[in-house]
């Protein structure tokens, strides 16, 4: 049976809004990580079968198939194609899935998968804002089928996160404690150099810019997003800029090009849930993935679940029964940021390096996504 291996995984430092990466064209962000993974692995770029990248709000500098543009901006051969994926916040994780599936199906041997997002240049939901000039106020309004099924309910990640906090009875204090821990873990990871092997500096940007000095007292002083609500900006992911990439290879490519795999793709899948709650899909997706993989959550050594909002992670921990000490051990998006299209393979780079540092065997990655879907990837360190 053909295997799909991760040979290497890299990322830029994550820039905060209007920070060190804000002026970099998205294609150049993407080209930077593509060149890094090519140079670090020593592959001939002419041997790459495809480039699969994630990106959300693909307008302006992110339009025109950013995977292909990034590859060409890197100066690499024109015969290598590229394709851009939008599965919202899980876009580059899905890019990894598509790349791995191509290898597992024996239709490709060498794939670069990743993602890019410059949220300073192209704000979140920019594509919808542009759509207003064409008469669309939301992606759903005006759809007879959608309205018949879901009514006129607000479809919003903020509403979904608030609903999750209420349904799972997560207090504001619990959410803020998790957020504080995210910052503390991230700052410790940076100080200890845990990200050094995955980060490829870009210009003067050498370190993640998101972690900040905060406290429970500071968080408690913030106004909630809705009156009487439990969510504040302190328990939400940060607007960020960045790019990430992984090199995927088949058994044949590993032997042919003398590559040294770092992990094997053990399982990949995706599942959906209520699109109004929007952010709960990691729960059924993880349950499904573990069953298909023949594993329990106790078999998993390390977990990365995207911290879109603190209640997403805490509700998932409650339902799955995961050990919190295994979850986002180096901090999450609350502290480190969430460059939408790049986050999936960014988190994979972190998961891979931490598995190696700690000697763990299995790592699990899951991300909640707009539309109420979630991807799950389980890797095995080799």
């Amino acid at each position: 049976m053909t295997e799909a291996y991760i040979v290497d995984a890299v990322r830029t430092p994550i820039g905060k809004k209007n920070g060190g990466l804000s002026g970099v064209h998205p294609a150049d962000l993407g080209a930077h990580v593509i060149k890094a993974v090519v140079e670090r692995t020593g592959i001939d770029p002419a041997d790459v079968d495809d480039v699969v990248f994630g990106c959300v709000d693909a307008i302006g500098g992110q339009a025109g198939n950013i995977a292909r543009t990034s590859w060409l901006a890197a100066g690499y051969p024109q015969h290598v194609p590229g394709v851009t994926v939008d599965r919202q916040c899980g876009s580059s994780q899905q890019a990894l899935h598509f790349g791995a599936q191509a290898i597992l199906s024996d239709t490709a041997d060498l794939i670069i998968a990743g993602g890019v997002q410059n949220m300073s240049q192209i704000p979140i939901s920019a594509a919808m804002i542009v759509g207003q000039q064409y008469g669309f106020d939301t992606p759903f309004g005006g759809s007879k089928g959608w309205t018949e099924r879901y009514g006129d309910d607000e479809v919003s990640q903020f509403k979904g996160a608030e609903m999750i906090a209420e349904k799972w009875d997560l207090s504001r204090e619990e959410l803020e404690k998790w957020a504080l821990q995210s910052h503390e873990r991230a700052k410790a990871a940076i100080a200890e150099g845990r990200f050094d092997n995955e980060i490829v500096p870009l210009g003067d940007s050498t370190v993640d810019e998101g972690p900040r000095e905060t406290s429970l007292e500071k968080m408690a002083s913030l106004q909630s997003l809705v009156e009487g609500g439990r969510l504040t900006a302190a328990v939400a992911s940060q607007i960020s800029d960045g790019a990430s990439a992984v090199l995927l290879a088949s058994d044949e490519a590993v032997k042919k090009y003398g590559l040294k795999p770092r992990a094997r793709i053990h399982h990949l899948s995706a599942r959906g849930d209520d699109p109004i709650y929007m952010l709960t899909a990691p729960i059924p997706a993880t349950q499904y993935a573990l069953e298909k993989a023949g594993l329990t959550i106790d078999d998993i050594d390390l977990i990365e679940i995207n911290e879109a909002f603190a209640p997403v992670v805490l509700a998932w921990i409650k339902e799955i029964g995961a050990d919190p000490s295994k979850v986002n051990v180096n901090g999450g998006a609350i502290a480190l940021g969430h460059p939408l299209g790049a986050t999936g393979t960014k988190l994979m780079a972190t998961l891979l390096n931490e598995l190696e540092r700690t000697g763990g065997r299995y790592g699990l990655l899951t991300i909640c996504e707009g539309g109420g879907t979630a991807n799950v990837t389980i890797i095995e360190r080799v």
Side-chain angles (χ1 to χ4, degrees), residues 160-208:
E162 192 73 57
M163 290 169 64
I164 292 169
E166 292 174 6
K167 180 175 179 178
W168 275 272
D169 194 24
L170 299 166
S171 69
R172 175 168 170 170
E173 183 180 12
E174 285 180 273
L175 304 180
E176 290 170 350
K177 283 182 177 178
W178 183 269
L180 179 61
Q181 176 181 264
S182 184
H183 284 282
E184 290 173 341
R185 286 178 169 180
K187 287 184 289 185
I190 291 170
E192 294 174 18
R194 294 189 187 183
F195 300 137
D196 290 355
N197 189 50
E198 66 199 60
I199 287 180
V200 285
L202 178 54
D204 294 331
S205 184
T206 60
V207 66
D208 296 315

Side-chain angles (χ1 to χ4, degrees), residues 56 86-91 124-125 139-140 146 155-158 160 270-282 306 308-309 312 338 340 367-375:
V56 184
D86 180 356
R87 203 195 277 270
Q88 299 293 279
C89 298
S91 294
I124 187 171
S125 298
F140 318 101
W146 178 277
V155 183
S156 156
Q157 58 179 329
F158 305 105
R271 278 293 179 268
D273 205 7
D274 188 330
I276 307 302
Y277 272 90
M278 189 181 292
L279 311 174
T280 56
N306 190 41
F309 296 87
V312 173
H338 177 23
L340 304 175
I367 297 178
C368 59
E369 302 153 351
T373 65
N375 285 61

